[in-house]
Amino acid sequence: MEYTTLGRTGLRVSVAGLGCGGSSRLGMGYGSSTSEAARIVRHSLDLGVNFIDTAMIYGTEEAVGEALRGVPRDQVVVSTKSQIVIDKRRLDPAEVVTNLEASLRRLRLEYVDVFHLHGVRPDHYGHAVAVRETLVRAKDAGKVRHIGITETGPFDHGHQMLRQALADGGFEVLMTAFHMLNQNTRALVLERARDSGVGTLIMFAVRRIFSDPEMLRQTIRQLAAQGKVAPELARTDDPLGFVVHEGGASSVIDAAYRFVRHEPGVDVVLFGTGKPEHVASNVASILKPPLPDADRARIVALFGHLEEGVGLTLPEKREDDDRGQHSGARA
Ligand SMILES: NC(=O)c1ccc[n+]([C@@H]2O[C@H](COP(=O)([O-])OP(=O)(O)OC[C@H]3O[C@@H](n4cnc5c(N)ncnc54)[C@H](OP(=O)(O)O)[C@@H]3O)[C@@H](O)[C@H]2O)c1
């Protein structure tokens, strides 16, 4: 495993981080038990992953807690989150602290390394700042080491909220959506984060867009029909097939993780899965060298201009990482 420093937090973190949300939720999204989910966490730790990202609404904090039993606390960096708005109701800052304490109980931990405000929409940023002021007291009490903020991919394609957060400078870590067809993160978030020492966590590197070949084909065809990508991409069943060759990527998923991993300003690439074989292959991809220059340049030339948040939603609208901001969330 390779380790890096998460911005100015000083935390030493693995460049591959286990995401316990997304559609997989460690496999609990498709029926795995808490113990099976805990085994995914253990398997990741065995491969040297020390960064684990969960959240109150994922329903995976207990599994993380089970997996971490007996693991020395300084061997793992745990990140969790609370929403600040549920069903259009702004949570009182004290409620967010109550959520933090409930997360600590589920995780069986005395403190979390990073506590994020989850999926904050641009119009809720002012409230996030108010909540942060209260969380600083939780930090002083030793329950949180660093305060972070995550954006809502589907509802903030221009990263407006994180741009405000970066200008304000009050958050030490951020989580942002970045992938081969959603590259505006580079100029709008990553460059500024690097300049200001804010730690960065990448979400959505693969999601459905690159793990479901039919979804990729349909998406590219739609974009071509709208004149937004080159028409020849719509004439093939494998529009990203050019990345797979000897000396290049072994699959589109391999390319997707490697594309984001080597972008300047990226600290941790999160991968979400419930399958042990995917844990191993994703960690291997994240540790491989950058894609060949020509392939990377072609991906940037073909898709670098897209601004519409391609692939940030799930077709069945189960945006379980973001829905808490918009509808009743699973507590
Ligand atoms: N607003 C927020 O705060 C927010 C929003 C989104 C995500 N996140 C965080 O970011 C993490 C990562 O996002 P993500 O879960 O969307 O992860 P991802 O790694 O981009 O994509 C995961 C999806 O790809 C599949 N997959 C993963 N590896 C695969 C492989 N090797 N081969 C084939 N399919 C593969 C998974 O299914 P399988 O289970 O079948 O492998 C799952 O459907 C989340 O877990 C969460 O911690 C936060």
Side-chain angles (χ1 to χ4, degrees):
M1 181 53 67
E2 285 174 40
Y3 299 88
T4 189
T5 303
L6 185 61
R8 62 175 183 263
T9 67
L11 293 168
R12 288 297 288 171
V13 290
S14 50
V15 294
L18 178 65
C20 304
S23 55
S24 296
R25 295 192 292 114
L26 299 175
M28 296 180 81
Y30 41 77
S32 296
S33 66
T34 304
S35 297
E36 286 164 333
R39 279 202 285 281
I40 295 291
V41 179
R42 278 279 187 180
H43 186 45
S44 305
L45 296 174
D46 289 344
L47 295 177
V49 170
N50 80 343
F51 190 90
I52 312 289
D53 177 65
T54 182
M56 182 179 100
I57 63 164
Y58 297 165
T60 53
E61 289 177 320
E62 285 91 349
V64 173
E66 185 175 319
L68 294 184
R69 280 173 98 166
V71 175
R73 185 63 186 88
D74 61 355
Q75 301 290 300
V76 66
V77 177
V78 179
S79 143
T80 194
K81 323 184 186 75
S82 167
Q83 303 131 277
I84 60 167
V85 177
I86 297 179
D87 285 337
K88 297 189 179 158
R89 184 178 71 84
R90 292 175 183 228
L91 270 57
D92 187 89
E95 284 180 77
V96 178
V97 174
T98 303
N99 288 344
L100 160 66
E101 287 164 349
S103 288
L104 290 174
R105 280 194 296 278
R106 287 188 291 268
L107 289 161
R108 310 178 202 197
L109 296 176
E110 301 283 312
Y111 67 90
V112 284
D113 299 277
V114 187
F115 188 70
H116 295 275
L117 306 186
H118 193 170
V120 176
R121 289 173 81 140
D123 50 330
H124 296 151
Y125 182 70
H127 186 49
V129 171
V131 172
R132 181 188 65 204
E133 298 312 314
T134 300
L135 280 175
V136 168
R137 291 201 284 280
K139 194 174 167 184
D140 294 342
K143 294 175 186 172
V144 170
R145 287 181 75 189
H146 304 281
I147 301 171
I149 192 159
T150 80
E151 69 181 348
T152 165
F155 299 94
D156 188 6
H157 300 165
H159 309 282
Q160 202 187 321
M161 186 285 292
L162 286 179
R163 285 153 65 192
Q164 276 181 275
L166 283 164
D168 159 25
F171 293 90
E172 301 163 274
V173 182
L174 63 81
M175 190 182 296
T176 186
F178 179 44
H179 66 63
M180 294 190 287
L181 270 61
N182 186 61
Q183 299 180 33
N184 64 359
T185 323
R186 182 182 299 115
L188 297 177
V189 178
L190 297 173
E191 287 173 10
R192 294 171 204 204
R194 190 178 40 164
D195 290 348
S196 50
V198 174
T200 60
L201 311 170
I202 301 304
M203 60 184 183
F204 289 84
V206 165
R207 210 72 175 179
R208 280 283 299 281
I209 183 82
F210 303 119
S211 61
D212 177 347
E214 186 52 31
M215 184 177 174
L216 179 61
R217 268 193 292 278
Q218 294 297 341
T219 304
I220 295 277
R221 280 180 191 155
Q222 253 173 19
L223 289 168
Q226 293 164 354
K228 291 177 176 166
V229 298
E232 60 267 25
L233 291 173
R235 292 198 279 271
T236 163
D237 278 345
D238 193 9
L240 286 179
F242 65 87
V243 298
V244 181
H245 59 88
E246 204 179 324
S250 59
S251 66
V252 169
I253 290 178
D254 181 57
Y257 285 122
R258 289 165 71 183
F259 181 80
V260 298
R261 153 77 174 98
H262 296 284
E263 185 68 40
V266 168
D267 293 330
V268 176
V269 176
L270 297 170
F271 63 92
T273 187
K275 299 187 178 135
E277 65 274 21
H278 289 172
V279 173
S281 64
N282 294 344
V283 167
S285 293
I286 292 168
L287 293 180
K288 281 188 200 170
L291 295 173
D293 287 348
D295 292 344
R296 183 187 176 279
R298 196 163 165 193
I299 295 166
V300 172
L302 286 170
F303 308 116
H305 59 283
L306 294 173
E307 292 287 346
E308 38 274 285
V310 176
L312 298 189
T313 51
L314 294 174
E316 63 271 37
K317 298 282 178 209
R318 278 197 65 250
E319 295 129 4
D320 56 0
D321 299 321
D322 296 287
R323 68 186 166 179
Q325 299 292 308
H326 318 295
S327 62
R330 187 168 11 96

